[in-house]
Amino acid sequence: MLRSLVGSEMCIRDRGGHRQANGYFELQVVPESGTSSSYQVELRQAVRNSLLTGNITASNGARMSNLSIWVNADLALPVVVLQCTGECSVAWFPAAKTDFEFKTWRSGGELVVLAAIQAPSDPPAKDVIAAAARSDLGLLLGNHTLWWDRYWHQSFVTLPSTTAQQLYYVQMHRFPASDRVGLHGLMGAFGPTGEFNLWPDDVWDMNEQVMYWIGAASNRPEISSPMEKWFEAGNRNGGLWMAHNYIKQLRFEGDSQKLQAVGWSAIIELVRGQVGSTQASPGRLTLMSDRLYHVLDCSSPEYNCYPPYASKMCTPSQDCNYDLAQIRWGLRTALSLTAQFGLETKLKAAGVDQSWWESLLGSELVWYPHDNGTGFRLDAHCRFECPHRHFSHLLQIYDLETVAFSDNGGAPRGLSADFEPGLSDTRGALNQIMLDSIDQWYRVTCNGSNWFNEECRGFTQCALAAMNVLVGRPAAAQGNLSRLIQSVITPNGMYGEMVYQSHPDEFSPVSESAYCGAAVLNTMLLHTDPQSRVLRIFPGFGPTWSDGGFYKLRADGGLVVSARRASGTTQFVGVGVASGTVVTTVLIQVSGWTEGVQMASTEGCKLVPGGSPTRWSLTIGGSCLEAVLWIGTRPGTFEVLPVLTNETEQNWFGYNRPMQPLH
């Protein structure tokens, strides 16, 4: 008897619309006469076409059955198909009360099983099964395979770390397998297993937001389309931080129409809820004796001080950096979109005093509370002193990025820059605050003395890696990523709370920490500074990752970017835009490209030095649809070739690697 939970690609839509595990199937194989009653089951999940294959073998080596299971990727027909040779019988036990249909028949020596579970708003499950039963099974499988083939060919990544590359592709498979675009529901914070874990819901203080880091740069719209549809339906859970995911996705897609039609009005609505429309009605803000506006009722989600840190407990309540970062990002984005689309008159008609919002962003909103040596505080009264997996107090560093690390000096950059008025040596001092903040968070949270209550969780290491990329510490980012993969990512490429503690009854699989690991790899490959719009190529590689490449990843402005790196040098960078893209200028920063950069392009492209030794200004758009840049001798080919894998790291995920305790 083989009993298995099915759910990674099956759907019942509730709790935000993501796919949940929908039941167990039992496969009973009847041994032939004289065959041993004991048997061995081998299962293999193919990432390439999302096909689960397996075989059941008796102890004497006799093959008892072959089976394959796949969930049709033709979204008009979401059914699970099980094919089994030999004497098989199957039973299905739904995990939830919902519209369910199950059908079996024999065809050419195979047992074929179709199963469908539908939400109330869907066509009846019996109609879906009837349509599938009338279809040619080979055609269904062909369409399913074609869907995945098209999906994989949209972009390509190759990395010098074989384990990191495996993590990347496993997550790129799992996300659309769990929540495809046709279901247009939001992926739950804990993925497709919400029926069976400790937190079967959506969590809005971090988990949902982190889930969608993976989408923007990957150039795989199937990942983020459900989130876009969810947001466009008027959902505003998660506030400005969740809205940031939507706005970033549209910027990377280059979708100006949606930015103007949906994004602008949504941001205006959310910002107005925080700071009001006029100085006379300032929303949550309060003017205090220092003539600055403050937030007097706030928190830093889930922050607590467990033993042996209980004596350090402090409850954030005023000027929480968690709130200030979202407010500043919202103000900056609202004003930026207003200027981009010329919506000043419309903003005024909505009752918003634009000068009020500009004054807040300029100097009248209190700056982020911080200390010398430990960096950003939780709020005006509380230093960060207790281990805490969340990075709520550091959103301004990542991923809202309202403060920016300067790698070449210079003054803060215009209205959109964020710095404390009067801060001495502003840029250098801000750099130090950012470094101190990251180091303090790591030092307090990721030490070995606190492993039981608030250890370095998966999303903690994701955020640390991303922040270290932004402050120019690629080796540290690689270390954070390695620790994520080697300590808390399970052999099946997933992640679970309590995973390596001696509490198996409390183990709960969750999704966001594995997904954000893949998202951080995108940031290590390319990153756009949202303030300066500088596009950095391979910012997370440094001298320790000397080879790698990517093909058709996305960047801010709707750019499609490719690049290859070999022996520590970037060989070429390709930048493309869609037809009809307005002319724009992109600052491209490549380590080591100080002079002698050359370009091959379509008509109308222009390349000039970008005002800094490693920056180059590329004018693209209009008639210029594609440009390829290189330094020195022209490469013989502009192909992105796979990096040779490390044989000792191959098959890192799967039963070749047993579960290992972290401590």
Side-chain angles (χ1 to χ4, degrees):
M1 184 81 72
L2 172 64
R3 193 169 196 256
S4 176
L5 172 67
V6 175
S8 63
E9 294 186 303
M10 303 291 294
C11 65
I12 59 173
R13 271 170 275 181
D14 82 72
R15 298 190 182 89
H18 55 283
R19 291 184 170 199
Q20 301 279 8
N22 66 16
Y24 292 87
F25 76 86
E26 281 190 355
L27 173 64
Q28 184 171 10
V29 179
V30 180
E32 296 181 0
S33 177
T35 303
S36 171
S37 59
S38 63
Y39 56 84
Q40 177 179 346
V41 178
E42 294 183 1
L43 298 174
R44 179 178 292 272
Q45 174 68 57
V47 172
R48 182 70 177 81
N49 60 0
S50 198
L51 184 67
L52 177 68
T53 58
N55 60 71
I56 304 173
T57 306
S59 58
N60 62 4
R63 181 65 56 87
M64 300 169 65
S65 181
N66 297 323
L67 61 92
S68 63
I69 303 176
W70 46 280
V71 180
N72 182 28
D74 178 356
L75 297 174
L77 205 61
V79 296
V80 60
V81 181
L82 183 148
Q83 296 173 265
C84 179
T85 60
E87 294 296 324
C88 306
S89 63
V90 177
W92 194 284
F93 303 93
K97 294 180 179 179
T98 185
D99 183 17
F100 170 76
E101 189 72 14
F102 180 69
K103 180 179 178 64
T104 67
W105 74 91
R106 285 207 166 268
S107 174
E110 292 183 332
L111 176 69
V112 179
V113 181
L114 300 179
I117 293 184
Q118 299 291 90
S121 59
D122 293 332
K126 63 181 180 62
D127 294 345
V128 174
I129 290 297
R134 292 192 300 268
S135 303
D136 178 83
L137 202 59
L139 180 61
L140 285 180
L141 181 57
N143 290 339
H144 167 86
T145 302
L146 181 61
W147 189 96
W148 281 100
D149 186 66
R150 290 170 175 167
Y151 173 80
W152 288 121
H153 277 82
Q154 291 174 111
S155 61
F156 171 70
V157 162
T158 181
L159 300 167
S161 167
T162 302
T163 54
Q165 180 164 309
Q166 290 173 81
L167 173 73
Y168 186 86
Y169 280 104
V170 167
Q171 308 317 317
M172 289 296 165
H173 166 258
R174 284 182 55 229
F175 206 107
S178 299
D179 194 5
R180 295 198 187 115
V181 59
L183 299 177
H184 55 77
L186 190 70
M187 169 72 82
F190 305 102
T193 56
E195 281 291 318
F196 300 92
N197 65 23
L198 301 179
W199 310 283
D201 54 8
D202 300 323
V203 180
W204 294 106
D205 58 16
M206 184 207 62
N207 306 82
E208 282 291 343
Q209 291 89 334
V210 168
M211 180 79 67
Y212 281 92
W213 286 359
I214 192 175
S218 67
N219 198 15
R220 302 188 187 279
E222 296 84 357
I223 289 177
S224 293
S225 288
M227 181 268 291
E228 291 184 38
K229 291 178 180 293
W230 173 87
F231 193 86
E232 289 158 10
N235 296 292
R236 296 295 178 264
N237 301 62
L240 283 162
W241 191 6
M242 192 63 186
H244 169 265
N245 281 327
Y246 179 76
I247 296 297
K248 183 175 181 178
Q249 184 68 36
L250 296 187
R251 287 193 182 279
F252 278 53
E253 293 174 0
D255 195 335
S256 296
Q257 182 177 359
K258 279 188 179 181
L259 273 174
Q260 182 173 349
V262 181
W264 180 82
S265 58
I267 295 299
I268 298 303
E269 169 196 344
L270 289 166
V271 171
R272 188 159 44 187
Q274 297 293 316
V275 304
S277 300
T278 66
Q279 189 170 12
S281 180
R284 296 179 61 203
L285 304 183
T286 299
L287 182 65
M288 298 185 70
S289 59
D290 58 2
R291 304 184 64 82
L292 296 175
Y293 284 88
H294 296 255
V295 179
L296 298 185
D297 182 15
C298 60
S299 65
S300 200
E302 299 186 29
Y303 182 77
N304 207 337
C305 293
Y306 299 97
Y309 301 90
S311 63
K312 297 179 181 292
M313 183 60 197
C314 183
T315 302
S317 61
Q318 177 182 326
D319 297 334
C320 302
N321 280 326
Y322 179 68
D323 294 76
L324 290 175
Q326 294 183 70
I327 290 172
R328 285 183 178 273
W329 177 84
L331 285 167
R332 188 183 71 193
T333 303
L335 294 172
S336 173
L337 292 177
T338 298
Q340 179 180 348
F341 298 117
L343 299 175
E344 291 82 0
T345 301
K346 189 174 180 179
L347 184 64
K348 183 177 180 180
V352 175
D353 180 355
Q354 183 171 335
S355 64
W356 157 239
W357 285 10
E358 289 173 346
S359 68
L360 287 174
L361 193 59
S363 61
E364 295 190 17
L365 178 64
V366 66
W367 205 66
Y368 304 106
H370 64 281
D371 290 311
N372 293 331
T374 57
F376 292 117
R377 301 167 68 99
L378 297 166
D379 79 334
H381 307 299
C382 301
R383 297 174 59 183
F384 183 84
E385 294 186 296
C386 299
H388 188 45
R389 61 192 181 274
H390 281 223
F391 49 99
S392 312
H393 65 301
L394 301 180
L395 278 184
Q396 60 273 25
I397 300 179
Y398 193 84
D399 67 313
L400 298 186
E401 298 186 56
T402 60
V403 297
F405 191 86
S406 175
D407 55 6
N408 64 346
R413 299 181 288 271
L415 178 65
S416 64
D418 195 350
F419 65 100
E420 182 179 26
L423 190 67
S424 61
D425 182 22
T426 302
R427 181 53 58 187
L430 178 54
N431 280 2
Q432 193 59 54
I433 291 171
M434 294 173 71
L435 292 171
D436 289 343
S437 302
I438 298 168
D439 291 344
Q440 175 74 356
W441 183 37
Y442 179 83
R443 181 167 52 244
V444 172
T445 300
C446 296
N447 68 72
S449 66
N450 60 359
W451 70 272
F452 182 78
N453 47 57
E454 287 288 321
E455 85 276 18
C456 245
R457 299 289 172 88
F459 46 75
T460 310
Q461 295 169 66
C462 290
L464 281 165
M467 292 179 195
N468 276 316
V469 172
L470 267 55
V471 299
R473 300 197 295 200
Q478 295 158 24
N480 300 138
L481 188 67
S482 294
R483 180 172 179 178
L484 169 72
I485 295 171
Q486 296 177 15
S487 65
V488 295
I489 299 296
T490 55
N492 63 355
M494 296 183 71
Y495 166 80
E497 297 291 321
M498 315 300 279
V499 60
Y500 290 127
Q501 299 176 29
S502 56
H503 299 275
D505 57 321
E506 297 183 24
F507 172 82
S508 189
V510 294
S511 286
E512 88 283 287
S513 290
Y515 291 143
C516 72
V520 167
L521 283 164
N522 283 334
T523 302
M524 297 172 77
L525 290 161
L526 77 169
H527 173 258
T528 304
D529 184 323
Q531 298 185 38
S532 66
R533 295 289 189 258
V534 171
L535 172 61
R536 299 169 64 201
I537 306 298
F538 297 119
F541 276 50
T544 48
W545 279 15
S546 57
D547 301 284
F550 57 92
Y551 174 71
K552 287 191 173 181
L553 294 184
R554 284 199 172 269
D556 200 334
L559 303 179
V560 179
V561 187
S562 305
R564 185 178 73 208
R565 178 179 172 88
S567 302
T569 301
T570 301
Q571 305 293 302
F572 71 85
V573 177
V575 182
V577 294
S579 177
T581 302
V582 298
V583 176
T584 186
T585 298
V586 183
L587 286 172
I588 301 174
Q589 180 171 321
V590 184
S591 177
W593 282 23
T594 56
E595 59 183 15
V597 175
Q598 302 180 61
M599 177 179 71
S601 68
T602 55
E603 182 180 357
C605 299
K606 182 180 179 181
L607 182 70
V608 297
S612 176
T614 58
R615 291 180 184 172
W616 296 84
S617 177
L618 172 66
T619 300
I620 195 169
S623 61
C624 172
L625 300 181
E626 186 175 16
V628 181
L629 315 180
W630 70 92
I631 189 170
T633 304
R634 177 175 177 138
T637 176
F638 293 120
E639 295 179 319
V640 179
L641 303 174
V643 176
L644 293 177
T645 60
N646 182 340
E647 292 186 3
T648 64
E649 297 178 0
Q650 290 178 355
N651 301 315
W652 182 261
F653 297 105
Y655 283 111
N656 286 344
R657 180 172 65 93
M659 300 277 274
Q660 296 292 338
L662 178 59
H663 302 282

